[in-house]
Amino acid sequence: TVEPTAAGEIYRTVRVEVLSPAGDIAGPPVELRVAAIPGAVAYEVRLLEVDGTELWREVSPVPAIPVPPAIAAAALPAKTLVWQVVAKDNRQHVVAESGDVRFRVQPR
């Protein structure tokens, strides 16, 4: 949301509602999906190791971002991965963030 002040506009971010993946999942993700954010024109996604090492980054105009097969292959059974989404408006201001979302493929 935007709040006007004497010094200009102050942007307050809201939380991105994460739809999938989160928690224990049956198999590697084929997409990262969040709820659409009003006013967002870009969704920046980062996939990370638990130590913060970035595996992949993508920017998409839609809130469902396909995961390339080579990246999905990093989701090994019992290995926890973290992803984050930042939604931005047409001026590249952050309008919403997900924070860290953890998931792992369940061992078979």
Side-chain angles (χ1 to χ4, degrees), residues 46-50 80-84 99-103:
R46 295 178 65 216
L47 181 65
L48 312 161
E49 299 274 2
V50 292
T80 300
L81 294 175
V82 178
W83 65 289
Q84 307 165 336
D100 290 351
V101 179
R102 294 175 180 262
F103 71 91

Side-chain angles (χ1 to χ4, degrees), residues 5-105:
T5 68
E9 297 175 338
I10 295 176
Y11 285 82
R12 304 239 185 257
T13 59
V14 296
R15 276 291 207 206
V16 170
E17 179 186 354
V18 172
L19 301 177
S20 67
D24 289 339
I25 59 176
V30 294
E31 71 178 5
L32 305 177
R33 181 180 288 277
V34 298
I37 301 294
V41 298
Y43 297 86
E44 182 179 339
V45 175
R46 295 178 65 216
L47 181 65
L48 312 161
E49 299 274 2
V50 292
D51 68 359
T53 302
E54 185 174 279
L55 299 173
W56 176 63
R57 177 188 298 249
E58 185 69 42
V59 177
S60 172
V62 296
I65 300 92
V67 177
I71 299 303
L76 300 172
K79 179 180 181 180
T80 300
L81 294 175
V82 178
W83 65 289
Q84 307 165 336
V85 178
V86 175
K88 296 181 180 181
D89 67 13
N90 59 1
R91 297 190 311 192
Q92 294 303 298
H93 291 117
V94 173
V95 294
E97 298 176 299
S98 67
D100 290 351
V101 179
R102 294 175 180 262
F103 71 91
R104 71 182 178 128
V105 175

